Amino acid sequence: MPQKAPSVIDRYYTRWYKTDMKGKPCEDHCILQHSNRICVITLAESHPILQDGRTIKNITYQISDGCSRLKNKVSGKSKRGGQFLTEFAPLCRITCTDDVEYTVFSCIRGRLLEVNEAILKRPSLLLEKPSTEGYIAVILPKFEESKSITEGLLTRAQYEEVVSKRTNHQPDLC
Amino acid sequence: MIPLKDKDKPIIRKLLDAGCCARCILRFCCVAVQSAYRLSYEDICRELSAFVRDSEKEQTHDVTIQTQKDDPPQKKLKLENSQAGEHDTSAAATVTAECGRDTAGASVCVVCLGVLQDFCNHGFAKKVAEAVKAENYEIESLVLSVSLPAQLSVREHSCWLHIKKEVREKSMCLGKDDVIQVKEAFKWTLQTMVSKELRVPVLANSPFEVAVGFTHAETDADCHFLATTCSDCFKPTKNKLSVFTRMAVVKALEKISDDKFCRNFPCPPTKPSTECSPQDITCLHGSVFVAGRYNKFSRELPQTPWVIDGERRMEGSVEELIAAPLLSSFRAEGFNFSSSGREDVDVRTLGNGRPFAMELLNPHRSQFTKAEIRQLQEAINQSSDKIRVRDLQIVTREAMSRMKEGEEEKTKSYSALIWTQRSIEKKDLEFIENIKELTIDQKTPLRVLHRRPLAVRQRVIHSMSASLLDCHHFTLRLRTQAGTYIKEFVHGDFGRTKPNLCDLMQTETDILELDVESVDVDWPPAVPE
């Protein structure tokens, strides 16, 4: 009988990371890129929100007065009408019960396909299953940029190295 | 033999003057008897001349109908009445006589540009037949199609205006539509000859079409004045070489007033110095459709060739394995494969298999006995152990729609190997059998989202059953509405399919193997062994 082999993410996705997003220590993002170029943006397991004992007070996709990611609508095969995002475009803001607010960013250029409305109803999903049901958004990079968008990102190995150096040298930053 | 009436005489005379050929004269006399056109050109001329002579004994006419440009002079038919030598004073007759005798170029018809002269004989029919034979088709019937230069319609219109008065005098109820078209007259003549050469009957709806085309560069500019007089009929389109398509020209001619036409184009048309050039003769046999059901036993065989960035990802495919023996037996030029849904590369299709149909393009052979089709099925099955085909049969194009109809409404049965994170026992699976008609909401799976619209689709899982394999594995059997994404129902696709098996089992679940057990579409019909 086959053993539990690679997970769905292992089988179909490549994990990419952006650490210390916008210079904020440990605000690490994970980008899951499917072999069909679609990307799922999630929090990396080292993100401060996911550290022991934190709880979420509020999640909002209203990133400014005039812009809500919830208003994003795509139509047709070509996904017309989706908001186009750059690396530093905010996706959502998450406030923990200790009133610290975090912003989750796109990390890659591409068209926003959908945001995860399930985490609005159940913020605990984000804590329990950050890399699957607790995802933040789905982004479709341009066809011609599907390779280049990951150039500024870290591989899983590089990410693990960054995280292990942190715990060894700067334990109090996170 | 040729049914001509007294009132045809002025028409015939006027057309002869204008430089019309004998078959075009028959056309404008609205002679609808096909056999009349099949007479040899010389015989038609002879009959026409006899007809004019008989009836106009008291008048003096000297009319010559030229047969063909290169005909020796003795073949020319001279129409002389009993009082030969007496000079005729009628202006029309004089013109006829002069044109007929002196101008060699006059022998190419001003209307058909030679199509009903030099290309309506056994010589050209033989050429067409040879071209067909060279392609080695096995045919039961044929139909001829002909493509004529657009300016022929302009010349036809000009000639019609020229003799309209006389035709109206013959009968008030005759109009331009009653004139036999060049195309018809040509087909009536040549089709029969080609049919005799190839020893197959002509059939209006024959799947085998022989196409003959003509061009005439000398008179291409004939249409051009229409672009200024009826500019709205000639809109440039991307994939047309010229705006002067036959359809556009015909439409413009329907709109233009007689006066305007006559101001812009000579009535009757000017005499050409060359005849039409025949284009390549092309043959096309209509598609033959072969249907059946296939099994796919491999988890490394895609249904259709898997190509990414122009590079092949995997060797072979279901469609290629089925197509290869069919292409060589039907000697077809290509194929289009379609099926009732499709399975992923790593999914097997077992049971009775999945209905498919193969359109074979331009087959050079299309008649097969039931036994031959059975042998063909055997050949496909012998060629690979990755697939198996059953119920192979020739079907009609219309019957193929039955397969696509079934795609959404019908049910499909699957068998899946499931992994559970939590350790399970037999009793943990009992609840599954009690779930009936479960409606699930599936967002377009991320796996196909790059090429499908984003939507939430409701699908019904009619029933399920489970059998435990070990504490982390079980076999799940499902009967679902077609279009249900099974893999996503099992792992949840980031929670985008709700509810999913993880929700039902209250543990993480994953799908390790998937088989299609049946595709419940009752087409194509079973073929008894």
Side-chain angles (χ1 to χ4, degrees):
Chain A
M1 196 49 52
Q3 287 303 300
K4 169 57 183 168
S7 69
V8 170
I9 293 173
D10 295 330
R11 293 202 298 268
Y12 305 115
Y13 295 82
T14 308
R15 293 178 171 89
W16 297 96
Y17 294 87
K18 183 85 182 170
T19 52
D20 307 321
M21 187 64 187
K22 285 210 131 186
K24 301 207 172 140
C26 305
E27 289 193 20
D28 305 334
H29 290 54
C30 174
I31 300 96
L32 301 171
Q33 187 172 32
H34 194 279
S35 52
N36 67 14
R37 89 174 188 273
I38 280 179
C39 293
V40 181
I41 311 300
T42 72
L43 297 182
E45 56 260 48
S46 52
H47 195 284
I49 295 175
L50 304 178
Q51 303 318 304
D52 290 340
R54 309 288 304 268
T55 45
I56 292 168
K57 189 162 104 186
N58 183 47
I59 301 174
T60 177
Y61 282 109
Q62 183 88 40
I63 48 119
S64 70
D65 287 346
C67 181
S68 170
R69 301 304 183 200
L70 288 173
K71 295 237 169 73
N72 190 69
K73 285 268 180 309
V74 293
S75 66
K77 276 190 211 172
S78 55
K79 318 295 184 295
R80 283 180 306 276
Q83 300 170 6
F84 193 82
L85 308 173
T86 55
E87 292 94 316
F88 297 113
L91 290 173
C92 70
R93 300 191 204 284
I94 301 168
T95 316
C96 289
T97 41
D98 54 12
D99 281 333
V100 183
E101 189 195 76
Y102 299 91
T103 302
V104 182
F105 294 93
S106 164
C107 302
I108 54 159
R109 286 165 53 78
R111 193 181 291 279
L112 182 64
L113 298 190
E114 67 177 44
V115 295
N116 186 3
E117 293 186 42
I119 56 173
L120 299 178
K121 289 180 212 100
R122 274 183 63 196
S124 60
L125 270 181
L126 192 57
L127 304 178
E128 291 156 12
K129 298 171 177 175
S131 63
T132 57
E133 284 193 54
Y135 72 98
I136 305 293
V138 178
I139 295 172
L140 179 66
K142 286 185 180 174
F143 183 78
E144 60 274 20
E145 292 180 351
S146 56
K147 295 258 183 333
S148 61
I149 46 146
T150 55
E151 274 166 11
L153 305 177
L154 304 182
T155 63
R156 176 77 192 175
Q158 290 167 325
Y159 163 75
E160 281 173 355
E161 202 184 320
V162 168
V163 172
S164 77
K165 273 185 186 155
R166 262 185 212 154
T167 43
N168 294 338
H169 303 294
Q170 306 158 289
D172 41 25
L173 255 176
C174 293
Chain B
M1 185 127 193
I2 303 172
L4 290 167
K5 301 240 159 56
D6 271 357
K7 281 186 173 170
D8 285 319
K9 267 162 231 151
I11 305 173
I12 299 173
R13 211 177 309 129
K14 222 170 164 186
L15 289 174
L16 283 170
D17 287 355
C20 256
C21 72
R23 287 200 181 91
C24 280
I25 291 172
L26 296 189
R27 296 195 301 110
F28 281 107
C29 292
C30 307
V31 173
V33 179
Q34 296 191 16
S35 58
Y37 295 84
R38 283 183 207 133
L39 295 173
S40 75
Y41 195 80
E42 293 79 0
D43 287 346
I44 301 173
C45 291
R46 204 170 296 129
E47 284 221 28
L48 277 180
S49 53
F51 174 68
V52 176
R53 186 175 49 217
D54 285 353
S55 52
E56 300 193 4
K57 287 233 157 83
E58 58 285 0
Q59 290 178 35
T60 33
H61 273 298
D62 187 1
V63 181
T64 302
I65 306 169
Q66 270 198 320
T67 52
Q68 282 158 23
K69 189 165 60 181
D70 303 323
D71 274 351
Q74 66 268 25
K75 266 191 150 181
K76 282 183 188 168
L77 282 157
K78 241 182 168 187
L79 243 172
E80 284 171 302
N81 61 21
S82 46
Q83 295 140 308
E86 225 184 63
H87 212 80
D88 182 40
T89 49
S90 139
T94 312
V95 173
T96 310
E98 281 171 2
C99 287
R101 276 168 186 164
D102 309 331
T103 327
S107 57
V108 177
C109 175
V110 294
V111 182
C112 71
L113 302 170
V115 169
L116 297 179
Q117 298 173 295
D118 260 356
F119 301 105
C120 265
N121 53 37
H122 285 289
F124 190 63
K126 256 199 179 87
K127 245 173 106 176
V128 173
E130 288 310 316
V132 175
K133 279 179 194 161
E135 302 244 8
N136 216 4
Y137 280 94
E138 287 177 36
I139 48 168
E140 311 266 290
S141 65
L142 69 86
V143 67
L144 192 74
S145 78
V146 57
S147 153
L148 298 171
Q151 60 266 34
L152 240 60
S153 303
V154 177
R155 292 183 158 257
E156 179 91 357
H157 193 67
S158 159
C159 208
W160 161 250
L161 294 181
H162 183 60
I163 51 128
K164 190 170 160 184
K165 201 175 125 261
E166 285 76 7
V167 175
R168 287 282 157 78
E169 273 166 15
K170 176 184 170 181
S171 163
M172 274 311 283
C173 39
L174 287 175
K176 194 184 173 189
D177 291 346
D178 298 298
V179 173
I180 307 302
Q181 294 191 3
V182 178
K183 195 173 263 193
E184 290 308 310
F186 179 78
K187 282 198 233 168
W188 289 345
T189 319
L190 197 75
Q191 199 161 235
T192 317
M193 296 181 195
V194 175
S195 154
K196 272 184 190 137
E197 289 286 339
L198 292 171
R199 297 208 177 95
V200 289
V202 171
L203 212 64
N205 58 351
S206 170
F208 183 66
E209 185 186 289
V210 181
V212 183
F214 296 97
T215 56
H216 196 251
E218 186 192 341
T219 58
D220 268 345
D222 281 1
C223 303
H224 292 183
F225 77 93
L226 289 169
T228 39
T229 54
C230 310
S231 56
D232 54 326
C233 294
F234 301 96
K235 300 255 161 59
T237 49
K238 268 184 216 158
N239 38 16
K240 288 274 177 342
L241 285 168
S242 159
V243 291
F244 298 104
T245 60
R246 233 163 308 144
M247 290 299 282
V249 168
V250 168
K251 208 175 145 204
L253 290 172
E254 277 168 12
K255 282 183 154 186
I256 194 167
S257 71
D258 293 357
D259 277 358
K260 207 169 185 182
F261 183 90
C262 293
R263 277 201 300 277
N264 286 283
F265 197 81
C267 253
T270 53
K271 295 179 169 65
S273 57
T274 56
E275 62 181 9
C276 278
S277 329
Q279 304 303 108
D280 284 343
I281 295 148
T282 55
C283 303
L284 183 68
H285 195 291
S287 296
V288 171
F289 297 86
V290 175
R293 291 169 164 266
Y294 74 81
N295 290 126
K296 172 164 114 60
F297 301 120
S298 168
R299 296 195 192 280
E300 278 144 15
L301 182 71
Q303 193 206 40
T304 51
W306 193 6
V307 178
I308 293 174
D309 296 336
E311 256 178 71
R312 226 190 150 104
R313 281 290 286 271
M314 254 174 201
E315 240 358 272
S317 66
V318 172
E319 65 160 43
E320 287 164 293
L321 287 172
I322 298 173
L326 292 178
L327 281 178
S328 66
S329 296
F330 284 77
R331 290 186 284 130
E333 274 174 4
F335 67 87
N336 287 318
F337 179 84
S338 58
S339 61
S340 180
R342 52 187 301 149
E343 63 280 306
D344 287 345
V345 59
D346 56 354
V347 174
R348 300 189 299 178
T349 298
L350 309 175
N352 270 332
R354 185 186 294 278
F356 71 90
M358 189 77 90
E359 176 181 10
L360 296 159
L361 304 169
N362 198 6
H364 285 51
R365 180 184 171 190
S366 57
Q367 298 293 320
F368 288 81
T369 63
K370 285 206 166 78
E372 285 170 324
I373 294 290
R374 203 174 305 127
Q375 281 167 16
L376 210 54
Q377 173 172 303
E378 211 36 55
I380 295 168
N381 291 339
Q382 294 295 320
S383 69
S384 169
D385 51 11
K386 292 177 179 173
I387 61 154
R388 195 183 148 77
V389 165
R390 80 190 65 207
D391 300 336
L392 200 72
Q393 55 197 286
I394 293 178
V395 297
T396 61
R397 182 192 289 272
E398 293 69 41
M400 276 189 49
S401 59
R402 293 277 305 278
M403 185 177 72
K404 291 285 172 191
E405 273 166 28
E407 223 167 37
E408 286 287 305
E409 296 81 32
K410 298 296 167 69
T411 60
K412 297 195 179 181
S413 304
Y414 299 89
S415 163
L417 175 59
I418 309 293
W419 169 87
T420 61
Q421 186 185 43
R422 170 167 64 89
S423 178
I424 52 167
E425 312 172 30
K426 209 173 169 199
K427 65 173 173 53
D428 295 314
L429 299 174
E430 280 165 4
F431 78 101
I432 285 178
E433 310 228 353
N434 298 326
I435 299 174
K436 301 286 178 217
E437 304 302 321
L438 172 70
T439 300
I440 60 169
D441 291 326
Q442 288 201 303
K443 278 190 188 156
T444 308
L446 293 174
R447 142 173 92 90
V448 298
L449 186 56
H450 61 300
R451 54 182 163 88
R452 304 247 168 95
L454 177 59
V456 183
R457 296 180 186 82
Q458 284 206 331
R459 290 290 182 260
V460 178
I461 297 177
H462 299 299
S463 61
M464 290 188 280
S465 69
S467 39
L468 187 73
L469 295 169
D470 62 41
C471 60
H472 285 287
H473 297 92
F474 69 94
T475 301
L476 179 69
R477 272 175 292 276
L478 313 92
R479 217 166 61 78
T480 73
Q481 181 184 355
T484 310
Y485 291 102
I486 305 302
K487 288 176 177 176
E488 280 70 19
F489 168 68
V490 174
H491 62 60
D493 196 27
F494 291 76
R496 298 171 74 260
T497 289
K498 283 281 174 185
N500 53 55
L501 191 62
C502 307
D503 299 331
L504 302 177
M505 299 278 301
Q506 292 176 324
T507 179
E508 193 191 322
T509 59
D510 198 357
I511 182 163
L512 306 182
E513 283 176 1
L514 179 61
D515 291 329
V516 178
E517 294 288 353
S518 80
V519 180
D520 302 333
V521 175
D522 58 359
W523 189 90
V527 175
E529 286 301 314

